[in-house]
Amino acid sequence: MSIDKLTFRKVLGRFATGITVVTGKSKDNIAVGLTVNAFTSLSLAPPLVLFCLDKSTASIHAFNKGDGFALNMLDEDQQELSVKFSSKIEDRFAGVEFDTWDTGVPILSGCLANLECIIDAVHDGGDHLIIVGRVNRIAQVEEGKPLLYFDGAYGRIACSPPWNTCR
């Protein structure tokens, strides 16, 4: 049975995901970043995460041949940042606050959590690359809610902590 790409994409959109901005550096030491929702944890020992990136992405070499990257988990108030890093604008970092840690890749400010990673492996995944990172450094805030994406639109969690009381 053949599966139509557009139908497949629509079905996958029925899965709610959090939004991250993955950041890195080009070989010319220029900050690059893009919005990604294909991200997951892989291992606790050693601490590994992965994200998937379309092979046609302009900045792909910063992630499959670079030294490291950061995954910046967006807060619900950072939708504008998600849109900016998914747009075609040339300088996505204009006006964006960030820091750098050990690898020198941008660590975005105001996020729920940030994970700085060293590239551990890159695997082929059809029209995407699966980029595995060993987590080198982490930070998180104690308060906040995630920016979500579902069915082609941004969403938010309607309740507040403690989460086990949400109905």
Side-chain angles (χ1 to χ4, degrees), residues 11-12 21 25 32 35-36 42 49 53 69 74 78 108-109 112 118 120 128 130-131 134-135 142 147 163:
V11 167
L12 294 177
V21 170
K25 291 187 310 185
V32 296
T35 301
V36 172
L42 179 61
V49 295
L53 196 56
F69 61 88
L74 299 188
Q78 293 180 302
L108 302 183
S109 302
L112 288 179
I118 305 298
D120 189 73
H128 279 61
I130 303 162
I131 300 167
R134 181 182 293 258
V135 180
E142 294 302 319
L147 180 62
W163 303 111

Tab-separated table of all heavy atoms in Angstrom, residues 11-12 21 25 32 35-36 42 49 53 69 74 78 108-109 112 118 120 128 130-131 134-135 142 147 163:
chain	number	residue	atom	x	y	z
A	11	VAL	N	-1.595	13.154	9.171
A	11	VAL	CA	-1.784	12.183	10.253
A	11	VAL	C	-0.753	12.418	11.358
A	11	VAL	O	-1.086	12.417	12.547
A	11	VAL	CB	-1.703	10.737	9.717
A	11	VAL	CG1	-1.576	9.725	10.846
A	11	VAL	CG2	-2.928	10.426	8.867
A	12	LEU	N	0.508	12.643	10.993
A	12	LEU	CA	1.545	12.892	11.995
A	12	LEU	C	1.272	14.171	12.778
A	12	LEU	O	1.653	14.285	13.942
A	12	LEU	CB	2.923	12.959	11.335
A	12	LEU	CG	3.405	11.648	10.718
A	12	LEU	CD1	4.752	11.856	10.038
A	12	LEU	CD2	3.481	10.541	11.742
A	21	VAL	N	14.033	25.107	19.551
A	21	VAL	CA	14.879	25.728	18.539
A	21	VAL	C	16.246	25.093	18.719
A	21	VAL	O	16.819	25.129	19.805
A	21	VAL	CB	14.951	27.264	18.686
A	21	VAL	CG1	16.022	27.843	17.768
A	21	VAL	CG2	13.594	27.892	18.375
A	25	LYS	N	26.643	26.214	15.068
A	25	LYS	CA	27.550	27.160	14.409
A	25	LYS	C	27.973	26.577	13.067
A	25	LYS	O	28.270	25.396	12.963
A	25	LYS	CB	28.812	27.390	15.242
A	25	LYS	CG	28.603	28.132	16.522
A	25	LYS	CD	29.905	28.481	17.209
A	25	LYS	CE	30.831	27.290	17.335
A	25	LYS	NZ	32.053	27.545	18.087
A	32	VAL	N	23.696	29.598	13.728
A	32	VAL	CA	22.567	29.121	12.922
A	32	VAL	C	21.538	28.517	13.864
A	32	VAL	O	21.868	28.073	14.964
A	32	VAL	CB	22.996	28.093	11.847
A	32	VAL	CG1	23.931	28.712	10.832
A	32	VAL	CG2	23.632	26.870	12.479
A	35	THR	N	13.651	26.048	14.006
A	35	THR	CA	12.611	25.457	14.826
A	35	THR	C	12.473	23.982	14.486
A	35	THR	O	12.435	23.604	13.317
A	35	THR	CB	11.275	26.188	14.588
A	35	THR	OG1	11.456	27.567	14.910
A	35	THR	CG2	10.157	25.609	15.419
A	36	VAL	N	12.415	23.157	15.536
A	36	VAL	CA	12.337	21.702	15.371
A	36	VAL	C	11.329	21.146	16.370
A	36	VAL	O	11.337	21.528	17.533
A	36	VAL	CB	13.728	21.055	15.638
A	36	VAL	CG1	13.640	19.553	15.679
A	36	VAL	CG2	14.744	21.501	14.612
A	42	LEU	N	16.912	9.922	24.218
A	42	LEU	CA	17.325	8.622	23.697
A	42	LEU	C	17.861	7.724	24.799
A	42	LEU	O	17.566	6.541	24.826
A	42	LEU	CB	18.381	8.831	22.593
A	42	LEU	CG	18.957	7.598	21.930
A	42	LEU	CD1	17.861	6.789	21.237
A	42	LEU	CD2	20.033	8.009	20.919
A	49	VAL	N	20.264	12.624	23.415
A	49	VAL	CA	19.032	13.100	22.803
A	49	VAL	C	19.207	13.024	21.298
A	49	VAL	O	20.325	12.870	20.793
A	49	VAL	CB	18.692	14.548	23.225
A	49	VAL	CG1	18.389	14.623	24.715
A	49	VAL	CG2	19.801	15.511	22.849
A	53	LEU	N	16.391	16.214	11.082
A	53	LEU	CA	16.534	17.412	10.269
A	53	LEU	C	16.457	17.035	8.794
A	53	LEU	O	17.151	16.116	8.351
A	53	LEU	CB	17.884	18.051	10.590
A	53	LEU	CG	18.141	19.485	10.179
A	53	LEU	CD1	17.085	20.421	10.750
A	53	LEU	CD2	19.509	19.906	10.654
A	69	PHE	N	25.645	21.254	19.318
A	69	PHE	CA	24.396	21.978	19.093
A	69	PHE	C	23.715	22.161	20.433
A	69	PHE	O	24.100	21.543	21.436
A	69	PHE	CB	23.482	21.234	18.111
A	69	PHE	CG	23.051	19.864	18.559
A	69	PHE	CD1	21.919	19.698	19.339
A	69	PHE	CD2	23.780	18.736	18.210
A	69	PHE	CE1	21.517	18.430	19.761
A	69	PHE	CE2	23.388	17.475	18.614
A	69	PHE	CZ	22.252	17.319	19.390
A	74	LEU	N	11.118	25.698	24.115
A	74	LEU	CA	10.439	26.989	24.200
A	74	LEU	C	9.302	27.009	25.211
A	74	LEU	O	8.543	26.051	25.357
A	74	LEU	CB	9.907	27.394	22.826
A	74	LEU	CG	10.954	27.576	21.727
A	74	LEU	CD1	10.302	28.175	20.484
A	74	LEU	CD2	12.137	28.400	22.176
A	78	GLN	N	6.953	32.063	23.898
A	78	GLN	CA	8.008	32.234	22.903
A	78	GLN	C	7.575	31.817	21.493
A	78	GLN	O	8.404	31.486	20.659
A	78	GLN	CB	9.252	31.460	23.328
A	78	GLN	CG	9.899	32.024	24.581
A	78	GLN	CD	11.128	31.265	24.986
A	78	GLN	OE1	11.083	30.068	25.229
A	78	GLN	NE2	12.250	31.973	25.047
A	108	LEU	N	19.635	29.951	23.877
A	108	LEU	CA	18.603	30.991	23.877
A	108	LEU	C	18.109	31.291	25.290
A	108	LEU	O	17.917	30.378	26.105
A	108	LEU	CB	17.434	30.573	22.995
A	108	LEU	CG	17.775	30.274	21.530
A	108	LEU	CD1	16.512	29.942	20.748
A	108	LEU	CD2	18.517	31.427	20.883
A	109	SER	N	17.873	32.559	25.559
A	109	SER	CA	17.393	33.012	26.864
A	109	SER	C	15.890	32.831	26.989
A	109	SER	O	15.165	32.882	25.992
A	109	SER	CB	17.731	34.498	27.059
A	109	SER	OG	19.120	34.697	26.959
A	112	LEU	N	12.260	27.157	28.677
A	112	LEU	CA	11.968	26.246	29.781
A	112	LEU	C	13.210	25.450	30.154
A	112	LEU	O	13.455	25.186	31.330
A	112	LEU	CB	10.859	25.268	29.398
A	112	LEU	CG	9.448	25.813	29.289
A	112	LEU	CD1	8.500	24.699	28.868
A	112	LEU	CD2	8.998	26.433	30.593
A	118	ILE	N	27.180	17.562	22.441
A	118	ILE	CA	28.272	17.239	21.538
A	118	ILE	C	27.721	16.209	20.565
A	118	ILE	O	27.059	15.241	20.975
A	118	ILE	CB	29.468	16.624	22.310
A	118	ILE	CG1	29.913	17.548	23.447
A	118	ILE	CG2	30.600	16.276	21.365
A	118	ILE	CD1	30.415	18.895	23.021
A	120	ASP	N	27.223	13.067	18.726
A	120	ASP	CA	27.656	11.701	19.018
A	120	ASP	C	27.579	10.819	17.777
A	120	ASP	O	28.454	9.991	17.557
A	120	ASP	CB	26.782	11.124	20.132
A	120	ASP	CG	27.287	9.801	20.649
A	120	ASP	OD1	28.306	9.811	21.366
A	120	ASP	OD2	26.667	8.765	20.329
A	128	HIS	N	15.514	12.660	5.882
A	128	HIS	CA	16.019	13.372	7.056
A	128	HIS	C	17.319	12.740	7.557
A	128	HIS	O	17.625	11.596	7.231
A	128	HIS	CB	14.995	13.324	8.194
A	128	HIS	CG	13.904	14.331	8.049
A	128	HIS	ND1	13.034	14.343	6.973
A	128	HIS	CD2	13.529	15.364	8.841
A	128	HIS	CE1	12.172	15.344	7.126
A	128	HIS	NE2	12.459	15.980	8.258
A	130	ILE	N	19.148	11.851	11.267
A	130	ILE	CA	18.887	11.683	12.692
A	130	ILE	C	20.186	12.063	13.394
A	130	ILE	O	21.207	11.387	13.228
A	130	ILE	CB	18.479	10.245	13.016
A	130	ILE	CG1	17.248	9.856	12.199
A	130	ILE	CG2	18.242	10.082	14.521
A	130	ILE	CD1	17.011	8.362	12.115
A	131	ILE	N	20.166	13.141	14.134
A	131	ILE	CA	21.371	13.666	14.762
A	131	ILE	C	21.297	13.383	16.259
A	131	ILE	O	20.381	13.847	16.949
A	131	ILE	CB	21.537	15.165	14.458
A	131	ILE	CG1	21.628	15.334	12.933
A	131	ILE	CG2	22.759	15.725	15.165
A	131	ILE	CD1	21.495	16.722	12.428
A	134	ARG	N	25.286	13.888	22.657
A	134	ARG	CA	25.562	13.572	24.060
A	134	ARG	C	25.422	14.872	24.837
A	134	ARG	O	26.108	15.851	24.552
A	134	ARG	CB	26.963	13.010	24.220
A	134	ARG	CG	27.295	12.644	25.673
A	134	ARG	CD	28.704	12.137	25.802
A	134	ARG	NE	28.885	10.865	25.127
A	134	ARG	CZ	28.930	9.685	25.756
A	134	ARG	NH1	28.842	9.640	27.063
A	134	ARG	NH2	29.104	8.570	25.070
A	135	VAL	N	24.522	14.873	25.805
A	135	VAL	CA	24.247	16.086	26.566
A	135	VAL	C	25.447	16.410	27.449
A	135	VAL	O	25.906	15.587	28.232
A	135	VAL	CB	22.957	15.946	27.397
A	135	VAL	CG1	22.681	17.219	28.172
A	135	VAL	CG2	21.777	15.601	26.490
A	142	GLU	N	12.185	26.768	36.885
A	142	GLU	CA	11.261	26.013	37.748
A	142	GLU	C	9.798	26.242	37.380
A	142	GLU	O	8.951	25.419	37.686
A	142	GLU	CB	11.499	26.387	39.212
A	142	GLU	CG	12.866	25.957	39.716
A	142	GLU	CD	13.105	24.459	39.596
A	142	GLU	OE1	12.189	23.663	39.880
A	142	GLU	OE2	14.230	24.083	39.190
A	147	LEU	N	5.487	25.554	24.892
A	147	LEU	CA	4.818	25.898	23.641
A	147	LEU	C	4.567	24.587	22.916
A	147	LEU	O	5.480	23.765	22.775
A	147	LEU	CB	5.706	26.813	22.802
A	147	LEU	CG	5.143	27.250	21.456
A	147	LEU	CD1	3.858	28.063	21.630
A	147	LEU	CD2	6.192	28.064	20.690
A	163	TRP	N	0.285	19.370	37.998
A	163	TRP	CA	-0.284	18.796	36.780
A	163	TRP	C	-1.244	17.652	37.051
A	163	TRP	O	-2.171	17.422	36.295
A	163	TRP	CB	0.834	18.340	35.836
A	163	TRP	CG	1.770	19.457	35.500
A	163	TRP	CD1	3.058	19.552	35.899
A	163	TRP	CD2	1.484	20.639	34.759
A	163	TRP	NE1	3.611	20.736	35.439
A	163	TRP	CE2	2.648	21.411	34.730
A	163	TRP	CE3	0.360	21.132	34.118
A	163	TRP	CZ2	2.733	22.639	34.089
A	163	TRP	CZ3	0.432	22.347	33.482
A	163	TRP	CH2	1.608	23.087	33.469
